[in-house]
Amino acid sequence: MNEAILVVEDEDKIGRLLEIELECEGYRVGRASNGSQALELYRSQTWDAVLLDVMLPGMSGFELLRRIRTADTRTPVLLLTAKDSVEDKVAGLDQGANDYITKPFQMEELLARVRAALRLRPPAQPEEAAASDEPEDWLAAGELRLSPGTREVIRGGQPIELTPREFDLLVYLLRNKRQVLSRDQIMQAVWGYDYLGDTNVVDVYIRYVRKKVDHGFAQELIQTVRGVGYVLRESS
């Protein structure tokens, strides 16, 4: 195995417990107890996943996550927190977290989520291959255009800024346009088969994407199919 996991936890007992359990599973583990120390440690070497407590002294877990995601969208980040409201979950996921684990948690569940996050992370590409690859063709629906290669989103000639999760959701809708998709289908495709969160997070993100993609345009591309789910189509 030998994957490297960075544990960022200010409660020493929890941090030590996570370190012991992860090492017993065969992972290499690094530990930090505050955001500044974690950022320095994160930048000092390559990590395969990060377990990140939200409530940290000094720099918060959300701020650390934001800084990680400015340069790294591949490494799985799993948030650990005592807060369990939908708003807090959405805030973390919206900033690029891969999963959200509420304290107190069962160690077996946490380890399963770590394994799932590692399985689902995008494969690394050699720099030479990444530089020479041609961008993937644009996906389109009406005036909306999206490039998976360059991560550009344009509608009516205007660029649209999306978070990583919003972008993944829109890619899935575009690749399956005219198909009615259930919340479970969307959840599995965008958040992963092993994601154990509430499906209402799909409704929240659909609302976010609609506001950015459809607001101000006469034609609504993302439509609700009552009792089933959602569909992206170019005409009603």
Side-chain angles (χ1 to χ4, degrees):
M1 187 178 290
N2 287 325
E3 287 102 334
I5 311 292
L6 175 58
V7 175
V8 187
E9 170 60 65
D10 66 324
E11 294 186 45
D12 186 65
K13 288 183 178 179
I14 296 177
R16 181 57 181 154
L17 176 62
L18 289 169
E19 182 179 22
I20 292 172
E21 292 289 344
L22 289 166
E23 287 179 345
C24 286
E25 291 293 310
Y27 299 106
R28 291 180 289 114
V29 182
R31 279 183 61 192
S33 58
N34 61 66
S36 299
Q37 180 188 27
L39 185 60
E40 182 178 350
L41 190 56
Y42 169 79
R43 289 172 172 171
S44 70
Q45 66 181 84
T46 300
W47 301 94
D48 296 291
V50 179
L51 285 175
L52 175 58
D53 185 23
V54 170
M55 302 298 290
L56 295 172
M59 184 191 304
S60 72
F62 286 146
E63 175 60 20
L64 177 58
L65 172 61
R66 186 190 68 79
R67 296 194 185 194
I68 290 174
R69 284 293 178 249
T70 58
D72 177 2
T73 60
R74 178 177 178 269
T75 303
V77 178
L78 294 81
L79 296 181
L80 304 174
T81 181
K83 296 184 176 181
D84 62 355
S85 70
V86 171
E87 291 78 8
D88 288 318
K89 292 179 181 179
V90 168
L93 295 170
D94 197 38
Q95 292 185 56
N98 298 77
D99 204 349
Y100 198 108
I101 304 170
T102 303
K103 299 176 182 178
F105 49 79
Q106 295 295 321
M107 189 57 66
E108 292 80 5
E109 178 185 349
L110 183 141
L111 294 172
R113 292 194 182 205
V114 169
R115 291 192 295 269
L118 291 171
R119 284 199 307 271
L120 294 168
R121 62 182 166 164
Q125 289 186 328
E127 290 185 8
E128 303 80 22
S132 62
D133 285 346
E134 291 295 324
E136 186 175 338
D137 290 341
W138 289 78
L139 303 173
E143 298 176 295
L144 177 66
R145 299 173 67 239
L146 179 150
S147 169
T150 63
R151 300 187 73 82
E152 294 175 87
V153 182
I154 300 170
R155 185 168 186 187
Q158 299 298 315
I160 297 172
E161 295 293 330
L162 298 177
T163 67
R165 191 73 68 179
E166 291 167 353
F167 184 87
D168 292 344
L169 173 57
L170 186 57
V171 167
Y172 182 64
L173 293 173
L174 280 166
R175 284 180 172 155
N176 295 276
K177 64 182 179 181
R178 294 186 294 275
Q179 295 185 41
V180 177
L181 304 167
S182 70
R183 289 172 179 81
D184 285 337
Q185 285 177 300
I186 296 171
M187 177 72 76
Q188 291 174 5
V190 179
W191 279 265
Y193 285 93
D194 293 280
Y195 179 74
L196 301 176
D198 298 328
T199 57
N200 63 356
V201 76
V202 173
D203 301 320
V204 173
Y205 272 84
I206 287 287
R207 186 167 70 250
Y208 288 165
V209 175
R210 269 180 172 159
K211 186 174 181 180
K212 295 181 178 182
V213 169
D214 283 335
H215 182 71
F217 292 90
Q219 183 182 14
E220 183 182 272
L221 296 174
I222 303 172
Q223 301 169 20
T224 301
V225 180
R226 195 173 300 277
V228 182
Y230 299 97
V231 61
L232 188 149
R233 51 190 169 210
E234 297 162 88
S235 59
S236 301

